[in-house]
mmCIF file of all heavy atoms in Angstrom:
data_model
loop_
_atom_site.group_PDB
_atom_site.id
_atom_site.type_symbol
_atom_site.label_atom_id
_atom_site.label_comp_id
_atom_site.label_asym_id
_atom_site.label_seq_id
_atom_site.Cartn_x
_atom_site.Cartn_y
_atom_site.Cartn_z
ATOM 1 N N ILE A 200 -87.519 -0.016 -12.099
ATOM 2 C CA ILE A 200 -86.407 -0.946 -11.869
ATOM 3 C C ILE A 200 -86.759 -1.920 -10.739
ATOM 4 O O ILE A 200 -86.535 -3.136 -10.843
ATOM 5 C CB ILE A 200 -85.117 -0.173 -11.528
ATOM 6 C CG1 ILE A 200 -84.630 0.597 -12.761
ATOM 7 C CG2 ILE A 200 -84.027 -1.132 -11.043
ATOM 8 C CD1 ILE A 200 -83.444 1.507 -12.490
ATOM 9 N N SER A 203 -89.174 -4.444 -11.935
ATOM 10 C CA SER A 203 -88.559 -5.441 -12.824
ATOM 11 C C SER A 203 -87.910 -6.578 -12.051
ATOM 12 O O SER A 203 -87.568 -7.610 -12.640
ATOM 13 C CB SER A 203 -87.510 -4.776 -13.722
ATOM 14 O OG SER A 203 -86.351 -4.408 -12.990
ATOM 15 N N LYS A 204 -87.756 -6.406 -10.750
ATOM 16 C CA LYS A 204 -87.170 -7.447 -9.896
ATOM 17 C C LYS A 204 -88.219 -8.064 -8.962
ATOM 18 O O LYS A 204 -87.882 -8.770 -8.008
ATOM 19 C CB LYS A 204 -86.018 -6.857 -9.079
ATOM 20 C CG LYS A 204 -84.933 -6.192 -9.930
ATOM 21 C CD LYS A 204 -83.820 -5.618 -9.085
ATOM 22 C CE LYS A 204 -82.857 -4.780 -9.921
ATOM 23 N NZ LYS A 204 -82.290 -5.527 -11.055
ATOM 24 N N ASN A 249 -87.146 4.256 -21.269
ATOM 25 C CA ASN A 249 -86.583 3.496 -20.144
ATOM 26 C C ASN A 249 -87.493 2.347 -19.715
ATOM 27 O O ASN A 249 -87.021 1.338 -19.173
ATOM 28 C CB ASN A 249 -86.339 4.416 -18.953
ATOM 29 C CG ASN A 249 -85.066 5.224 -19.100
ATOM 30 O OD1 ASN A 249 -84.461 5.233 -20.167
ATOM 31 N ND2 ASN A 249 -84.667 5.919 -18.045
ATOM 32 N N TYR A 251 -89.073 0.297 -21.646
ATOM 33 C CA TYR A 251 -88.740 -0.843 -22.494
ATOM 34 C C TYR A 251 -87.362 -1.407 -22.152
ATOM 35 O O TYR A 251 -87.138 -2.615 -22.247
ATOM 36 C CB TYR A 251 -88.815 -0.425 -23.962
ATOM 37 C CG TYR A 251 -90.152 0.136 -24.345
ATOM 38 C CD1 TYR A 251 -90.416 1.498 -24.246
ATOM 39 C CD2 TYR A 251 -91.186 -0.689 -24.780
ATOM 40 C CE1 TYR A 251 -91.657 2.029 -24.576
ATOM 41 C CE2 TYR A 251 -92.430 -0.171 -25.118
ATOM 42 C CZ TYR A 251 -92.655 1.192 -25.006
ATOM 43 O OH TYR A 251 -93.877 1.706 -25.329
ATOM 44 N N LYS A 252 -86.446 -0.541 -21.744
ATOM 45 C CA LYS A 252 -85.112 -1.007 -21.340
ATOM 46 C C LYS A 252 -85.188 -1.839 -20.069
ATOM 47 O O LYS A 252 -84.611 -2.922 -19.980
ATOM 48 C CB LYS A 252 -84.181 0.184 -21.137
ATOM 49 C CG LYS A 252 -83.780 0.912 -22.403
ATOM 50 C CD LYS A 252 -82.833 2.058 -22.081
ATOM 51 C CE LYS A 252 -82.412 2.796 -23.349
ATOM 52 N NZ LYS A 252 -81.508 3.933 -23.034
ATOM 53 N N HIS A 253 -85.897 -1.324 -19.067
ATOM 54 C CA HIS A 253 -85.941 -1.993 -17.766
ATOM 55 C C HIS A 253 -86.732 -3.303 -17.802
ATOM 56 O O HIS A 253 -86.444 -4.226 -17.026
ATOM 57 C CB HIS A 253 -86.546 -1.069 -16.713
ATOM 58 C CG HIS A 253 -85.732 0.167 -16.454
ATOM 59 N ND1 HIS A 253 -84.360 0.182 -16.508
ATOM 60 C CD2 HIS A 253 -86.123 1.435 -16.138
ATOM 61 C CE1 HIS A 253 -83.910 1.394 -16.227
ATOM 62 N NE2 HIS A 253 -84.958 2.173 -16.013
ATOM 63 N N LEU A 254 -87.731 -3.397 -18.684
ATOM 64 C CA LEU A 254 -88.575 -4.591 -18.731
ATOM 65 C C LEU A 254 -88.251 -5.487 -19.929
ATOM 66 O O LEU A 254 -88.915 -6.498 -20.143
ATOM 67 C CB LEU A 254 -90.055 -4.197 -18.779
ATOM 68 C CG LEU A 254 -90.575 -3.385 -17.590
ATOM 69 C CD1 LEU A 254 -92.064 -3.100 -17.751
ATOM 70 C CD2 LEU A 254 -90.309 -4.092 -16.268
ATOM 71 N N GLY A 255 -87.253 -5.120 -20.711
ATOM 72 C CA GLY A 255 -86.856 -5.908 -21.868
ATOM 73 C C GLY A 255 -86.106 -7.171 -21.498
ATOM 74 O O GLY A 255 -85.792 -7.435 -20.334
ATOM 75 N N SER A 256 -85.746 -7.944 -22.505
ATOM 76 C CA SER A 256 -85.163 -9.274 -22.293
ATOM 77 C C SER A 256 -83.851 -9.236 -21.531
ATOM 78 O O SER A 256 -83.559 -10.118 -20.709
ATOM 79 C CB SER A 256 -84.944 -9.957 -23.649
ATOM 80 O OG SER A 256 -86.157 -10.070 -24.355
ATOM 81 N N GLN A 257 -83.031 -8.228 -21.784
ATOM 82 C CA GLN A 257 -81.701 -8.207 -21.172
ATOM 83 C C GLN A 257 -81.752 -7.957 -19.677
ATOM 84 O O GLN A 257 -81.080 -8.648 -18.904
ATOM 85 C CB GLN A 257 -80.840 -7.138 -21.851
ATOM 86 C CG GLN A 257 -79.395 -7.130 -21.357
ATOM 87 C CD GLN A 257 -78.546 -6.109 -22.107
ATOM 88 O OE1 GLN A 257 -79.079 -5.239 -22.792
ATOM 89 N NE2 GLN A 257 -77.240 -6.229 -22.001
ATOM 90 N N LYS A 258 -82.567 -6.994 -19.250
ATOM 91 C CA LYS A 258 -82.577 -6.618 -17.837
ATOM 92 C C LYS A 258 -83.684 -7.303 -17.045
ATOM 93 O O LYS A 258 -83.660 -7.289 -15.818
ATOM 94 C CB LYS A 258 -82.711 -5.096 -17.710
ATOM 95 C CG LYS A 258 -81.486 -4.351 -18.242
ATOM 96 C CD LYS A 258 -81.527 -2.885 -17.872
ATOM 97 C CE LYS A 258 -80.247 -2.185 -18.311
ATOM 98 N NZ LYS A 258 -80.232 -0.746 -17.932
ATOM 99 N N CYS A 259 -84.651 -7.891 -17.740
ATOM 100 C CA CYS A 259 -85.749 -8.564 -17.029
ATOM 101 C C CYS A 259 -86.087 -9.878 -17.727
ATOM 102 O O CYS A 259 -87.157 -10.013 -18.337
ATOM 103 C CB CYS A 259 -86.968 -7.648 -16.969
ATOM 104 S SG CYS A 259 -88.273 -8.254 -15.881
ATOM 105 N N PRO A 260 -85.191 -10.869 -17.647
ATOM 106 C CA PRO A 260 -85.436 -12.143 -18.333
ATOM 107 C C PRO A 260 -86.668 -12.880 -17.834
ATOM 108 O O PRO A 260 -87.214 -13.730 -18.537
ATOM 109 C CB PRO A 260 -84.153 -12.939 -18.057
ATOM 110 C CG PRO A 260 -83.550 -12.313 -16.840
ATOM 111 C CD PRO A 260 -83.908 -10.865 -16.912
ATOM 112 N N GLU A 261 -87.145 -12.557 -16.624
ATOM 113 C CA GLU A 261 -88.337 -13.225 -16.096
ATOM 114 C C GLU A 261 -89.570 -12.928 -16.947
ATOM 115 O O GLU A 261 -90.541 -13.691 -16.937
ATOM 116 C CB GLU A 261 -88.596 -12.789 -14.645
ATOM 117 C CG GLU A 261 -87.599 -13.325 -13.634
ATOM 118 C CD GLU A 261 -86.319 -12.492 -13.605
ATOM 119 O OE1 GLU A 261 -86.267 -11.458 -14.331
ATOM 120 O OE2 GLU A 261 -85.385 -12.867 -12.879
ATOM 121 N N LEU A 262 -89.545 -11.820 -17.685
ATOM 122 C CA LEU A 262 -90.693 -11.453 -18.512
ATOM 123 C C LEU A 262 -90.502 -11.811 -19.978
ATOM 124 O O LEU A 262 -91.314 -11.412 -20.821
ATOM 125 C CB LEU A 262 -90.979 -9.947 -18.383
ATOM 126 C CG LEU A 262 -91.529 -9.478 -17.044
ATOM 127 C CD1 LEU A 262 -91.755 -7.969 -17.058
ATOM 128 C CD2 LEU A 262 -92.830 -10.194 -16.694
ATOM 129 N N LYS A 321 -84.151 -8.239 -28.393
ATOM 130 C CA LYS A 321 -83.917 -7.193 -27.392
ATOM 131 C C LYS A 321 -85.235 -6.642 -26.865
ATOM 132 O O LYS A 321 -85.373 -6.349 -25.676
ATOM 133 C CB LYS A 321 -83.077 -6.076 -28.020
ATOM 134 C CG LYS A 321 -82.736 -4.938 -27.069
ATOM 135 C CD LYS A 321 -81.881 -3.900 -27.780
ATOM 136 C CE LYS A 321 -81.545 -2.743 -26.850
ATOM 137 N NZ LYS A 321 -80.709 -1.722 -27.549
#
Side-chain angles (χ1 to χ4, degrees):
I200 292 174
S203 72
K204 304 180 189 304
N249 281 10
Y251 303 90
K252 290 181 180 179
H253 296 326
L254 300 182
S256 301
Q257 185 177 15
K258 293 191 175 182
C259 190
E261 289 82 4
L262 290 180
K321 181 179 179 180

